């Protein structure tokens, strides 16, 4: 079994997932509504914590969601 993920890693993953749907205006779709709650449950996170993380790290999260995590603004 692998090393447990840190809270930061969990928040990062959930935030990038959510932002990838948000940037495409797909948060109200059945795909997002079916996937995201399960991710939160599996990672032991609350949506409020993910939103806070997004707000605090918006540029990095958006870059990663667009598939350009290694680029700078």
């Amino acid at each position: 079994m692998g090393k447990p993920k840190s809270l930061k890693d969990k928040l990062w993953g959930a935030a990038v997932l959510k932002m990838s749907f948000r940037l495409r205006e797909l948060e109200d779709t059945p795909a997002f509504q079916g996937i995201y709650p399960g991710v939160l449950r599996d990672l032991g996170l609350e949506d409020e914590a993910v939103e806070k993380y997004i707000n605090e790290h918006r540029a990095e999260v958006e870059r990663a969601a667009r598939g350009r995590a290694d680029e700078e603004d």
Side-chain angles (χ1 to χ4, degrees):
M1 194 166 167
K3 180 176 123 178
K5 290 186 179 188
S6 69
L7 177 59
K8 180 182 172 188
D9 289 341
K10 291 177 183 181
L11 287 167
W12 171 257
V16 171
L17 173 68
K18 186 170 190 175
M19 185 60 69
S20 69
F21 278 89
R22 182 172 290 169
L23 291 171
R24 293 164 184 81
E25 298 181 7
L26 297 174
E27 283 183 276
D28 292 328
T29 65
F32 179 77
Q33 297 299 324
I35 294 168
Y36 184 67
V39 168
L40 292 179
R41 182 192 64 241
D42 292 349
L43 295 177
L45 298 173
E46 296 291 330
D47 183 57
E48 295 78 18
V50 175
E51 281 297 327
K52 182 175 186 247
Y53 189 88
I54 288 171
N55 289 331
E56 292 172 354
H57 305 278
R58 183 168 300 277
E60 298 92 344
V61 171
E62 283 188 15
R63 271 196 309 273
R66 293 179 193 278
R68 301 187 307 243
D70 57 344
E71 294 179 11
E72 293 193 25
D73 287 336

